[in-house]
Protein backbone atom coordinates (compact mmCIF):
# COMPACT_ATOMS: atom_id res chain seq x y z
CA UNK A 1 0.00 0.00 0.00
CA UNK A 2 1.15 3.49 -0.73
CA UNK A 3 2.11 5.89 2.06
CA UNK A 4 -0.04 8.87 2.98
CA UNK A 5 2.17 11.90 3.50
CA UNK A 6 1.92 15.58 4.30
CA UNK A 7 5.18 17.44 3.67
CA UNK A 8 5.73 21.05 4.69
CA UNK A 9 7.95 23.09 2.39
CA UNK A 10 9.12 26.01 4.47
CA UNK A 11 10.83 27.61 1.44
CA UNK A 12 13.08 30.57 2.46
CA UNK A 13 11.22 31.36 5.67
CA UNK A 14 12.01 31.18 9.38
CA UNK A 15 15.14 32.30 11.16
CA UNK A 16 16.82 29.53 13.11
CA UNK A 17 15.08 30.10 16.45
CA UNK A 18 11.66 30.42 14.78
CA UNK A 19 12.16 27.23 12.81
CA UNK A 20 13.29 25.33 15.88
CA UNK A 21 10.21 26.56 17.77
CA UNK A 22 7.90 25.49 14.91
CA UNK A 23 9.47 22.04 14.61
CA UNK A 24 9.41 21.59 18.39
CA UNK A 25 5.72 22.49 18.48
CA UNK A 26 4.81 20.11 15.65
CA UNK A 27 6.86 17.33 17.23
CA UNK A 28 5.19 17.84 20.58
CA UNK A 29 1.75 17.73 19.00
CA UNK A 30 2.42 14.44 17.21
CA UNK A 31 3.89 12.92 20.36
CA UNK A 32 0.58 13.48 22.08
CA UNK A 33 -1.50 12.64 18.97
CA UNK A 34 0.59 9.88 17.35
CA UNK A 35 0.37 9.52 13.58
CA UNK A 36 -1.21 6.32 12.38
CA UNK A 37 -0.30 5.01 8.94
CA UNK A 38 0.76 8.42 7.72
CA UNK A 39 3.81 10.57 7.78
CA UNK A 40 4.66 14.23 8.26
CA UNK A 41 7.86 15.63 6.74
CA UNK A 42 9.28 19.06 7.55
CA UNK A 43 11.35 20.32 4.60
CA UNK A 44 13.36 23.10 6.16
CA UNK A 45 16.08 25.42 4.89
CA UNK A 46 19.57 23.84 5.10
CA UNK A 47 20.44 26.04 8.08
CA UNK A 48 17.79 24.34 10.22
CA UNK A 49 18.23 20.81 9.03
CA UNK A 50 20.78 19.46 11.50
CA UNK A 51 19.03 20.70 14.60
CA UNK A 52 15.50 19.94 13.36
CA UNK A 53 16.47 16.37 12.34
CA UNK A 54 17.92 15.85 15.80
CA UNK A 55 14.96 17.21 17.74
CA UNK A 56 12.20 15.39 15.82
CA UNK A 57 11.38 12.16 17.63
CA UNK A 58 7.62 11.74 17.28
CA UNK A 59 6.96 8.55 15.28
CA UNK A 60 6.38 9.32 11.59
CA UNK A 61 7.67 12.89 11.78
CA UNK A 62 10.90 13.44 9.85
CA UNK A 63 12.98 16.18 8.29
CA UNK A 64 13.82 16.86 4.66
CA UNK A 65 15.67 19.37 2.48
CA UNK A 66 14.32 21.49 -0.37
CA UNK A 67 17.14 21.00 -2.88
CA UNK A 68 20.54 19.35 -3.26
CA UNK A 69 23.55 19.57 -5.51
CA UNK A 70 23.94 17.22 -8.45
CA UNK A 71 27.62 16.91 -7.50
CA UNK A 72 29.09 14.54 -4.95
CA UNK A 73 31.48 16.99 -3.26
CA UNK A 74 34.19 19.49 -4.07
CA UNK A 75 34.67 23.07 -5.19
CA UNK A 76 31.04 24.17 -5.61
CA UNK A 77 30.80 27.26 -3.45
CA UNK A 78 27.46 27.66 -1.74
CA UNK A 79 26.15 24.22 -2.66
CA UNK A 80 24.97 21.44 -0.33
CA UNK A 81 25.42 17.78 -1.24
CA UNK A 82 23.01 14.92 -0.83
CA UNK A 83 25.54 13.20 1.44
CA UNK A 84 25.60 16.27 3.71
CA UNK A 85 21.82 16.25 3.89
CA UNK A 86 21.81 12.56 4.75
CA UNK A 87 24.46 13.17 7.43
CA UNK A 88 22.06 15.44 9.34
CA UNK A 89 19.63 12.54 9.74
CA UNK A 90 17.20 14.00 7.19
CA UNK A 91 15.61 11.35 5.04
CA UNK A 92 13.99 13.23 2.15
CA UNK A 93 14.73 15.95 -0.39
CA UNK A 94 12.44 17.95 -2.67
CA UNK A 95 13.73 18.05 -6.26
CA UNK A 96 12.33 20.02 -9.18
CA UNK A 97 10.17 22.52 -7.34
CA UNK A 98 8.77 25.04 -9.83
CA UNK A 99 10.60 27.85 -8.02
CA UNK A 100 13.90 26.04 -8.65
CA UNK A 101 12.90 25.36 -12.25
CA UNK A 102 11.98 28.96 -12.99
CA UNK A 103 14.18 31.18 -10.77
CA UNK A 104 17.32 29.00 -10.91
CA UNK A 105 16.80 27.62 -14.42
CA UNK A 106 16.94 23.99 -13.34
CA UNK A 107 16.12 21.93 -16.41
CA UNK A 108 15.00 18.34 -16.84
CA UNK A 109 18.54 17.00 -17.25
CA UNK A 110 19.87 18.74 -14.16
CA UNK A 111 16.89 17.52 -12.14
CA UNK A 112 17.51 13.96 -13.28
CA UNK A 113 21.13 14.29 -12.11
CA UNK A 114 20.07 15.73 -8.75
CA UNK A 115 17.54 12.93 -8.31
CA UNK A 116 20.16 10.29 -9.07
CA UNK A 117 22.61 11.83 -6.59
CA UNK A 118 19.94 12.03 -3.87
CA UNK A 119 18.97 8.38 -4.38
CA UNK A 120 22.63 7.31 -4.35
CA UNK A 121 22.75 8.79 -0.85
CA UNK A 122 19.66 6.99 0.35
CA UNK A 123 17.43 10.02 0.37
CA UNK A 124 13.82 9.73 -0.70
CA UNK A 125 12.96 12.21 -3.41
CA UNK A 126 9.80 14.30 -3.56
CA UNK A 127 9.85 15.04 -7.28
CA UNK A 128 7.72 18.03 -8.27
CA UNK A 129 5.93 18.53 -11.55
CA UNK A 130 3.24 20.91 -12.73
CA UNK A 131 2.22 23.31 -15.45
CA UNK A 132 2.08 27.10 -15.56
CA UNK A 133 -1.23 28.83 -16.25
CA UNK A 134 -0.65 29.44 -19.97
CA UNK A 135 0.16 25.75 -20.46
CA UNK A 136 -3.16 24.79 -18.87
CA UNK A 137 -5.01 27.39 -20.89
CA UNK A 138 -3.44 25.96 -24.06
CA UNK A 139 -4.48 22.49 -22.92
CA UNK A 140 -0.83 21.44 -22.68
CA UNK A 141 -0.84 20.58 -18.99
CA UNK A 142 -0.85 16.80 -19.45
CA UNK A 143 1.99 16.96 -21.98
CA UNK A 144 4.09 19.19 -19.70
CA UNK A 145 3.70 16.94 -16.67
CA UNK A 146 4.40 13.86 -18.80
CA UNK A 147 7.62 15.38 -20.11
CA UNK A 148 8.78 16.44 -16.64
CA UNK A 149 8.25 12.94 -15.26
CA UNK A 150 9.71 11.14 -18.27
CA UNK A 151 12.91 13.18 -18.24
CA UNK A 152 13.25 13.46 -14.47
CA UNK A 153 12.32 10.13 -12.90
CA UNK A 154 11.07 7.64 -15.51
CA UNK A 155 14.74 7.23 -16.42
CA UNK A 156 15.21 5.37 -13.12
CA UNK A 157 15.20 1.60 -12.66
CA UNK A 158 12.14 0.37 -10.78
CA UNK A 159 13.82 -0.10 -7.38
CA UNK A 160 15.08 3.49 -7.48
CA UNK A 161 11.79 4.88 -8.77
CA UNK A 162 10.08 3.27 -5.79
CA UNK A 163 11.99 5.68 -3.51
CA UNK A 164 10.35 8.65 -5.22
CA UNK A 165 7.24 10.48 -4.16
CA UNK A 166 5.60 12.60 -6.85
CA UNK A 167 4.19 16.04 -6.06
CA UNK A 168 1.81 17.62 -8.55
CA UNK A 169 1.98 21.37 -8.06
CA UNK A 170 0.14 23.45 -10.65
CA UNK A 171 2.28 26.59 -10.72
CA UNK A 172 -0.79 28.83 -11.01
CA UNK A 173 -1.93 27.54 -7.61
CA UNK A 174 1.35 28.05 -5.74
CA UNK A 175 1.20 30.90 -3.26
CA UNK A 176 -1.73 32.45 -5.12
CA UNK A 177 -4.63 31.40 -2.90
CA UNK A 178 -6.12 29.75 -5.99
CA UNK A 179 -6.36 26.01 -5.45
CA UNK A 180 -6.93 23.37 -8.09
CA UNK A 181 -10.45 22.05 -7.68
CA UNK A 182 -10.63 18.55 -6.22
CA UNK A 183 -11.72 17.37 -9.70
CA UNK A 184 -8.73 19.03 -11.40
CA UNK A 185 -6.35 17.52 -8.82
CA UNK A 186 -7.88 14.05 -9.17
CA UNK A 187 -7.80 14.25 -12.98
CA UNK A 188 -4.08 15.01 -13.05
CA UNK A 189 -3.18 12.59 -10.25
CA UNK A 190 -5.03 9.83 -12.08
CA UNK A 191 -3.19 10.73 -15.28
CA UNK A 192 0.15 10.57 -13.42
CA UNK A 193 -0.69 7.18 -11.91
CA UNK A 194 -1.57 5.86 -15.37
CA UNK A 195 1.79 7.12 -16.67
CA UNK A 196 3.56 5.30 -13.82
CA UNK A 197 1.56 2.15 -14.61
CA UNK A 198 2.53 2.42 -18.28
CA UNK A 199 6.20 2.69 -17.38
CA UNK A 200 6.59 0.44 -14.31
CA UNK A 201 3.37 -1.58 -14.14
CA UNK A 202 0.21 -1.44 -12.04
CA UNK A 203 1.76 -2.65 -8.77
CA UNK A 204 4.32 0.13 -8.74
CA UNK A 205 1.65 2.68 -9.72
CA UNK A 206 -0.57 1.51 -6.86
CA UNK A 207 2.34 1.94 -4.43
CA UNK A 208 3.35 5.43 -5.64
CA UNK A 209 2.49 8.32 -3.35
CA UNK A 210 1.26 11.36 -5.29
CA UNK A 211 0.96 14.61 -3.33
CA UNK A 212 -0.97 17.73 -4.27
CA UNK A 213 0.60 21.16 -3.72
CA UNK A 214 -0.71 24.66 -4.35
CA UNK A 215 -2.57 26.79 -1.81
CA UNK A 216 -3.53 23.72 0.20
CA UNK A 217 -4.60 24.66 3.71
CA UNK A 218 -6.53 23.24 6.62
CA UNK A 219 -9.83 24.53 5.23
CA UNK A 220 -9.53 22.79 1.82
CA UNK A 221 -7.24 19.85 2.59
CA UNK A 222 -9.97 17.32 3.39
CA UNK A 223 -11.78 17.73 0.06
CA UNK A 224 -8.52 17.47 -1.88
CA UNK A 225 -7.34 14.43 0.09
CA UNK A 226 -10.71 12.70 -0.35
CA UNK A 227 -9.80 11.94 -3.98
CA UNK A 228 -8.68 8.36 -4.60
CA UNK A 229 -5.42 9.36 -6.31
CA UNK A 230 -4.45 12.19 -3.93
CA UNK A 231 -2.26 10.67 -1.22
CA UNK A 232 -1.47 13.82 0.71
CA UNK A 233 -0.02 17.27 0.21
CA UNK A 234 3.09 19.36 -0.23
CA UNK A 235 2.31 22.48 1.72
CA UNK A 236 3.98 25.88 1.42
CA UNK A 237 2.57 28.87 3.28
CA UNK A 238 0.28 26.88 5.56
CA UNK A 239 3.19 24.75 6.81
CA UNK A 240 4.62 27.77 8.63
CA UNK A 241 1.90 27.60 11.27
CA UNK A 242 1.92 24.73 13.74
CA UNK A 243 -1.85 24.67 14.01
CA UNK A 244 -2.51 24.86 10.26
CA UNK A 245 0.08 22.21 9.48
CA UNK A 246 -1.13 19.80 12.17
CA UNK A 247 -4.74 20.31 11.02
CA UNK A 248 -3.76 19.52 7.43
CA UNK A 249 -2.05 16.32 8.61
CA UNK A 250 -5.20 15.49 10.58
CA UNK A 251 -7.31 16.06 7.46
CA UNK A 252 -5.42 13.26 5.74
P1 LIG B 1 1.68 27.20 -1.19
O1 LIG B 1 1.07 26.14 -0.31
O2 LIG B 1 2.21 28.37 -0.42
O3 LIG B 1 0.80 27.55 -2.33
O4 LIG B 1 2.99 26.52 -1.83
C1 LIG B 1 2.89 25.28 -2.41
C2 LIG B 1 4.26 24.80 -2.67
O5 LIG B 1 4.96 25.33 -3.52
C3 LIG B 1 4.76 23.69 -1.86
O6 LIG B 1 5.97 23.20 -2.37
Amino acid sequence: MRKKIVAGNWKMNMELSEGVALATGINKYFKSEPLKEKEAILCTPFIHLGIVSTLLNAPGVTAGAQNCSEHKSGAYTGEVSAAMIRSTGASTVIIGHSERRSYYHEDDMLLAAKTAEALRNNLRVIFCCGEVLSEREDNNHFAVVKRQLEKGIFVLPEEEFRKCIIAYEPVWAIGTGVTATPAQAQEMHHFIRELVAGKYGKNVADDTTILYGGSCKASNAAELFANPDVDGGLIGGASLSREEFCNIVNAL
Side-chain angles (χ1 to χ4, degrees):
M1 263 309 281
R2 55 189 181 252
K3 277 214 168 101
K4 302 270 184 190
I5 296 172
V6 172
N9 175 8
W10 292 6
K11 306 193 181 182
M12 196 175 74
N13 294 294
M14 300 271 152
E15 293 186 5
L16 184 59
S17 59
E18 297 167 323
V20 169
L22 176 60
T24 304
I26 292 169
N27 188 67
K28 191 169 164 207
Y29 178 86
F30 289 119
K31 277 191 109 165
S32 63
E33 302 282 334
L35 291 171
K36 291 195 188 76
E37 291 167 6
K38 56 187 174 184
E39 215 182 311
I41 308 173
L42 311 186
C43 297
T44 77
F46 291 130
I47 294 291
H48 304 64
L49 209 51
I51 186 162
V52 168
S53 297
T54 307
L55 74 84
L56 294 178
N57 60 6
V61 184
T62 58
Q66 301 170 14
N67 178 33
C68 73
S69 172
E70 72 277 26
H71 300 292
K72 208 169 161 224
S73 64
Y76 300 100
T77 301
E79 287 292 279
V80 174
S81 73
M84 291 173 187
I85 293 169
R86 186 70 236 184
S87 75
T88 66
S91 52
T92 309
V93 59
I94 299 171
I95 305 270
H97 193 280
S98 64
E99 288 148 17
R100 301 291 320 171
R101 290 177 190 264
S102 68
Y103 304 148
Y104 304 100
H105 314 293
E106 296 193 354
D107 63 16
D108 293 325
M109 256 182 64
L110 176 65
L111 297 174
K114 289 188 174 203
T115 299
E117 183 57 22
L119 293 170
R120 255 195 298 281
N121 286 281
N122 280 325
L123 290 168
R124 276 185 316 181
V125 169
I126 300 178
F127 190 85
C128 300
C129 58
E131 80 285 356
V132 301
L133 185 59
S134 60
E135 291 164 337
R136 179 165 280 264
E137 285 171 346
D138 294 344
N139 212 26
N140 271 335
H141 45 303
F142 294 116
V144 167
V145 166
K146 182 168 186 268
R147 190 208 75 227
Q148 291 170 338
L149 294 175
E150 282 178 346
K151 304 254 175 168
I153 50 175
F154 287 179
V155 291
L156 296 167
E158 179 184 322
E159 67 274 19
E160 295 295 296
F161 176 82
R162 279 183 172 278
K163 295 176 204 153
C164 296
I165 296 156
I166 296 172
Y168 170 58
E169 298 206 306
V171 181
W172 46 271
I174 296 178
T176 57
V178 179
T179 314
T181 64
Q184 284 172 323
Q186 170 57 24
E187 183 185 38
M188 183 60 87
H189 282 228
H190 182 71
F191 173 76
I192 292 170
R193 202 175 303 286
E194 291 291 299
L195 289 178
V196 176
K199 171 73 190 169
Y200 295 102
K202 189 172 180 313
N203 285 349
V204 176
D206 283 345
D207 288 347
T208 301
T209 298
I210 309 176
L211 309 180
Y212 169 79
S215 298
C216 182
K217 41 190 184 281
S219 59
N220 61 21
E223 59 176 10
L224 287 160
F225 298 163
N227 289 289
D229 288 301
V230 180
D231 307 310
L234 180 56
I235 317 300
S239 74
L240 301 175
S241 148
R242 182 192 62 82
E243 197 183 0
E244 271 284 306
F245 183 74
C246 293
N247 285 341
I248 294 170
V249 177
N250 286 337
L252 186 61

